[in-house]
Amino acid sequence: MDRSRLIPRMPRSLGAQLIALLLIALIGTQAIALWLFAGERRTAIFEVVGDAVIVRAASLVPLLETATDDVREQMLRATSSPVTRFWIAPSPAVREPGRSAPERRLGEVLLDELGTERDIRVAVSSKGRMLPALIHAQRRDRSERADEEERGERKLRDKERPERSARIAIDFSVALADGSWLNVTTSHRPPPPGAIQTLLLQIVLMALAIVAIVAFTIRRLTRPLRRLAAAADRLGRGEDMPPLAEEGPQEVRSAIRAFNEMQDRLTRFVRDRTRMLAAISHDLRTPITSLRIRAEFIDDDEDREKMIAILDEMAQMTEATLAFARDEATQEERRSVDLGGLMESIAGDQSDLGRDVEVAARDRVVLACRPVALKRALRNLVENAVRYGTRARIAVRAEGGQAVLTVDDDGPGIADDRLADVFEPFVRLEESRSGETGGIGLGLAIARSIVHAHGGTIALENRPEGGLRATVHLPLGA
């Protein structure tokens, strides 16, 4: 069994964690307070019960020592109550004097009340029942009539009052002048725990108030953070956004202000680089054209053809770079698109050109994207597969909140140490894949840039059965 599963985990959100910690602190402190309160309450009840019984016993002892047997019996009956019993016996009901601090204190108080030295034995019990020795001594020394009356009174008390588990019992024996013993047993039930119930209700109300206040406060404080996280995600996908409103606590305002400044700097940087790239590509078109015209007048046919081929390749690179920069500078609106339908459209266009392309869409996958840009990126992948791998097999599915698209070909593949290199601009690996020369090395670079702008990833891997596989992951919430 995994023990880590048995250990409760903290919630992931900030609000839930704060609420959990506050509730743990509240329950812990209130539990300690309840324990202290219960101890003080028990001590107070013990003091009241003990003092009352001692006063009654101290006032009764001198009267019993001077009274006759008949008068003694009447006095004991008059003094006893449903919870406190007095009787005289030849032997003490408490065999051994108590050694605890409460027992010694009660004995000293009773001795002070009597004012004379005599044998006093005190026993304290919190179980709520008389000691077996006390019950035996009481029943042994009483008459049948007294026992019958006691049983009747006890049954009456049991009917009138429900039994409670917690009681405070004080039993003691006092030696009289004639050698007999005054035995006393008392068993007091504490009052109903109304105060504890009130305290528990107070704890529940405090917990509810903490949950409500913290939930409201955290929701108010984290709203700007949620907006900041969403804006950062959109910025990573290449979207232009207005500056975020600076709201919330000072620390959150500082973070939003820094994000707005970073967004402005990144946007300016990307736009400046794009404009510079477009300007360079545009300016190169004129000298390349001029050089091509001059190359036409070279007499040597072999040199002329080589120079024209090189200039044509430079022109293709310039046009591709200019198109790439133009697409980067254009901000296309995002809309929902069926990815399977988009790939069917690309496959249809390739089939019209006589190329072997098939699409298998297992799921209907709809995602928000810039359709023209994404179609260009995926078309580059398909054309790359057809050019170097004879045919393309496309699969579309939804998996774990993402759209997963794979493009397989039957080509020779790429060396594992060069898989990442083909995404670099102007990198071509014709010598490792095909004897033909195709493209200028910008297709996969453009595809990766567009996929990354949509918040996705793209990767290449060699298939065990041969050929290359391109895998694209795109977030469905993009």
Side-chain angles (χ1 to χ4, degrees):
M1 181 182 293
D2 189 2
R3 294 184 178 180
S4 61
R5 296 182 179 180
L6 302 178
I7 302 176
R9 298 180 179 179
M10 288 293 291
R12 300 182 63 180
S13 65
L14 175 62
Q17 289 184 8
L18 185 56
I19 290 175
L21 292 175
L22 288 176
L23 289 180
I24 291 173
L26 174 65
I27 293 174
T29 55
Q30 294 300 323
I32 296 175
L34 277 175
W35 178 73
L36 295 175
F37 174 78
E40 293 294 332
R41 186 169 179 265
R42 180 179 178 277
T43 302
I45 295 174
F46 173 79
E47 294 288 346
V48 172
V49 172
D51 291 344
V53 174
I54 286 174
V55 170
R56 292 169 63 185
S59 61
L60 185 61
V61 166
L63 297 177
L64 291 175
E65 290 180 338
T66 59
T68 62
D69 292 340
D70 294 337
V71 176
R72 280 185 175 184
E73 186 67 23
Q74 294 177 2
M75 293 174 62
L76 293 173
R77 289 186 180 182
T79 308
S80 299
S81 67
V83 295
T84 305
R85 305 294 297 175
F86 291 82
W87 78 97
I88 295 177
S91 60
V94 180
R95 302 301 182 185
E96 297 292 336
R99 299 180 180 275
S100 65
E103 291 168 337
R104 291 197 304 269
R105 192 193 69 82
L106 289 177
E108 293 172 356
V109 172
L110 181 56
L111 189 61
D112 292 339
E113 290 288 337
L114 293 174
T116 57
E117 289 291 337
R118 63 180 69 219
D119 192 358
I120 298 176
R121 302 176 184 181
V122 181
V124 177
S125 173
S126 61
K127 295 181 180 180
R129 295 172 182 163
M130 289 186 295
L131 298 174
L134 297 177
I135 298 174
H136 178 72
Q138 184 177 7
R139 290 182 176 179
R140 183 189 61 189
D141 296 329
R142 287 181 180 172
S143 62
E144 292 295 333
R145 182 171 57 84
D147 290 340
E148 188 67 28
E149 291 178 357
E150 180 186 356
R151 286 193 293 269
E153 292 177 358
R154 188 173 299 169
K155 290 180 180 179
L156 180 60
R157 292 198 304 270
D158 293 339
K159 291 180 180 180
E160 292 177 350
R161 293 184 295 180
E163 183 70 19
R164 299 190 185 100
S165 59
R167 295 186 183 182
I168 296 176
I170 301 175
D171 307 290
F172 57 90
S173 299
V174 181
L176 300 179
D178 60 358
S180 60
W181 291 79
L182 172 64
N183 297 313
V184 183
T185 179
T186 178
S187 179
H188 285 259
R189 299 183 181 95
I196 297 180
Q197 294 177 356
T198 302
L199 186 57
L200 291 176
L201 178 59
Q202 179 183 359
I203 295 175
V204 172
L205 293 177
M206 290 176 63
L208 293 177
I210 288 176
V211 171
I213 294 174
V214 172
F216 172 78
T217 304
I218 291 297
R219 183 176 180 83
R220 176 176 172 272
L221 294 180
T222 57
R223 187 184 299 114
L225 292 178
R226 292 194 295 270
R227 293 177 181 172
L228 179 61
D233 183 62
R234 293 173 60 189
L235 178 63
R237 297 172 185 170
E239 297 185 33
D240 280 341
M241 299 171 300
L244 295 176
E246 297 181 10
E247 57 182 1
Q250 182 61 38
E251 294 78 6
V252 178
R253 289 173 180 266
S254 299
I256 294 176
R257 186 181 306 112
F259 174 81
N260 288 335
E261 294 176 356
M262 179 192 68
Q263 178 185 357
D264 182 61
R265 293 169 184 168
L266 286 176
T267 302
R268 289 201 312 268
F269 175 77
V270 172
R271 287 178 178 174
D272 291 344
R273 293 290 296 271
T274 303
R275 282 196 296 265
M276 182 181 66
L277 183 62
I280 293 174
S281 300
H282 182 272
D283 292 343
L284 283 176
R285 297 167 71 181
T286 300
I288 291 175
T289 304
S290 176
L291 287 173
R292 194 181 190 287
I293 295 175
R294 292 178 180 272
E296 294 287 347
F297 296 99
I298 297 177
D299 295 333
D300 190 300
D301 294 339
E302 184 178 357
D303 290 342
R304 183 175 65 252
E305 293 299 328
K306 288 183 178 180
M307 291 184 65
I308 291 176
I310 294 174
L311 290 172
D312 287 343
E313 186 177 359
M314 292 178 62
Q316 291 179 8
M317 295 175 63
T318 302
E319 293 296 331
T321 305
L322 187 60
F324 175 68
R326 188 183 303 114
D327 289 341
E328 287 292 308
T330 302
Q331 292 298 323
E332 181 186 356
E333 292 186 3
R334 303 171 70 89
R335 58 187 178 89
S336 296
V337 173
D338 180 6
L339 186 58
L342 183 64
M343 297 310 300
E344 290 283 358
S345 174
I346 295 175
D349 295 340
Q350 297 296 318
S351 298
D352 293 340
L353 298 175
R355 296 169 179 173
D356 187 1
V357 179
E358 294 181 2
V359 178
R362 190 174 66 185
D363 306 314
R364 186 175 186 272
V365 181
V366 178
L367 72 159
C369 64
R370 294 187 288 274
V372 175
L374 185 61
K375 185 175 182 179
R376 181 185 181 190
L378 300 179
R379 183 174 60 243
N380 287 349
L381 290 179
V382 174
E383 291 178 349
N384 198 71
V386 173
R387 179 181 297 116
Y388 298 112
T390 308
R391 65 176 185 170
R393 297 294 179 263
I394 305 169
V396 179
R397 68 182 187 274
E399 182 179 293
Q402 290 186 324
V404 181
L405 181 141
T406 59
V407 180
D408 296 343
D409 64 37
D410 296 334
I414 301 176
D416 291 338
D417 59 345
R418 300 297 305 277
L419 287 174
D421 295 343
V422 295
F423 289 110
E424 299 299 325
F426 307 112
V427 172
R428 293 180 296 175
L429 302 176
E430 303 90 349
E431 65 276 9
S432 63
R433 302 194 70 192
S434 173
E436 300 177 4
T437 299
I440 60 172
L442 270 180
L444 290 179
I446 293 174
R448 183 178 66 172
S449 176
I450 294 175
V451 170
H452 285 178
H454 283 77
T457 59
I458 181 172
L460 299 178
E461 61 178 338
N462 291 301
R463 296 193 300 155
E465 62 272 22
L468 192 69
R469 169 172 292 174
T471 304
V472 177
H473 290 82
L474 292 169
L476 291 178

